Amino acid sequence: MQTYDSDIATVDLTETDVNNNYVEVIETVISSLDQEHSSLVNRTQAGHLWKFKYGSVEVFIQLTGSTDEDTFTVWSPVLALPVQNEAGLMRKLMELNWMGTFEARFGIFKDSIVVVTSRSVADLSPGEMSHLITIVATIADDYDDELVAEFPAA
């Protein structure tokens, strides 16, 4: 019977290893969703920012790093503001946020309505990353044309 030396099996994952794993997962998910092979990435010391096209929307993914304090954010603009009947739009979005957006939500970023999800990277699994990217892309693509038709520009 072979003996097992636990010191040999110990794997010391550095922050770079974990960050590279996050980057690989994100790029794998993007490659599976990016129908037009239009993805772009910007790498800086502040983190990574990806952009790709899914259906009729652009999806952005930001990873600020790999420590527990860093964040993973996915968003997609679906409607430019201002629009006619903004009160009606806000009511519709709040109703959708209640039960129709899973872990994502509608919000306002700059002068646009976006679908967004964000969380710390603490305990973030590859499956959850894939799930969150897919949810934002799908909800944004499902609602962008409907919202533009229902709430035309002001």
Side-chain angles (χ1 to χ4, degrees):
M1 176 178 210
Q2 280 186 311
T3 60
Y4 178 96
D5 185 355
S6 62
D7 291 334
I8 295 173
T10 300
V11 176
D12 182 24
L13 290 177
T14 65
E15 184 175 325
T16 302
D17 294 331
V18 172
N19 193 39
N20 286 340
N21 186 45
Y22 289 146
V23 169
E24 288 174 20
V25 169
I26 291 167
E27 291 180 351
T28 299
V29 174
I30 288 172
S31 70
S32 72
L33 295 174
D34 183 15
Q35 300 156 339
E36 297 181 11
H37 306 291
S38 62
S39 63
L40 301 171
V41 63
N42 182 20
R43 293 175 176 91
T44 67
Q45 292 208 249
H48 292 74
L49 178 66
W50 291 265
K51 178 176 97 171
F52 70 97
K53 187 98 167 145
Y54 180 78
S56 57
V57 297
E58 288 185 326
V59 179
F60 297 86
I61 303 167
Q62 182 178 36
L63 179 66
T64 62
S66 59
T67 68
D68 286 355
E69 294 80 31
D70 286 307
T71 58
F72 171 73
T73 305
V74 184
W75 74 95
S76 180
V78 293
L79 181 65
L81 295 173
V83 296
Q84 297 174 26
N85 189 13
E86 281 198 21
L89 171 64
M90 295 305 145
R91 179 175 181 93
K92 180 177 184 98
L93 297 179
M94 293 300 289
E95 289 170 351
L96 289 169
N97 279 350
W98 168 241
M99 292 293 282
T101 57
F102 305 99
E103 293 89 348
R105 64 196 175 279
F106 286 96
I108 298 174
F109 178 63
K110 297 186 180 177
D111 288 324
S112 293
I113 299 296
V114 297
V115 178
V116 62
T117 190
S118 186
R119 73 176 300 277
S120 73
V121 298
D123 301 319
L124 182 62
S125 72
E128 186 177 3
M129 294 174 79
S130 175
H131 177 72
L132 294 173
I133 295 167
T134 304
I135 282 177
V136 168
T138 302
I139 290 172
D141 190 47
D142 286 350
Y143 283 101
D144 67 323
D145 294 331
E146 176 185 328
L147 292 173
V148 167
E150 190 173 341
F151 301 98

